Amino acid sequence: MRSLYHRLSLFVSEAFLALHDRIGPVDERGGGRNSDEGFHIGAGAVIGAAIAAGVGAYIAKKMGALE
């Protein structure tokens, strides 16, 4: 049986790939600062939340909270 940590890692990886496939490359040639800045802030928030969730699950597993 897969642990919660492995399932969470797989979910985060699949979500990232699905998001990457859906958005595709971002055109950096135009649109000014605000249009590009929103993509960068949004991507940073998603990546930060994924890392925080993974670290939280890892720590909870080590502490035995997920047993």
Side-chain angles (χ1 to χ4, degrees), residues 21-57:
D21 289 343
R22 183 167 176 96
I23 293 175
V26 176
D27 184 10
E28 296 285 346
R29 292 176 291 171
R33 176 185 157 172
N34 292 332
S35 63
D36 294 340
E37 187 177 21
F39 282 115
H40 295 143
I41 291 171
V46 169
I47 292 169
I51 291 170
V55 170

Side-chain angles (χ1 to χ4, degrees), residues 2 4 8 12 20 23-25 28 31 37-38 42 44 46 48 50 52-53 55 57 63-65 67:
R2 292 183 183 175
L4 179 63
L8 182 63
V12 169
H20 184 268
I23 293 175
E28 296 285 346
E37 187 177 21
V46 169
V55 170
M63 292 176 63
E67 301 297 321

Side-chain angles (χ1 to χ4, degrees), residues 3-24:
S3 69
L4 179 63
Y5 177 75
H6 290 117
R7 286 184 285 174
L8 182 63
S9 296
L10 181 61
F11 173 76
V12 169
S13 298
E14 289 176 345
F16 177 77
L17 289 175
L19 182 64
H20 184 268
D21 289 343
R22 183 167 176 96
I23 293 175

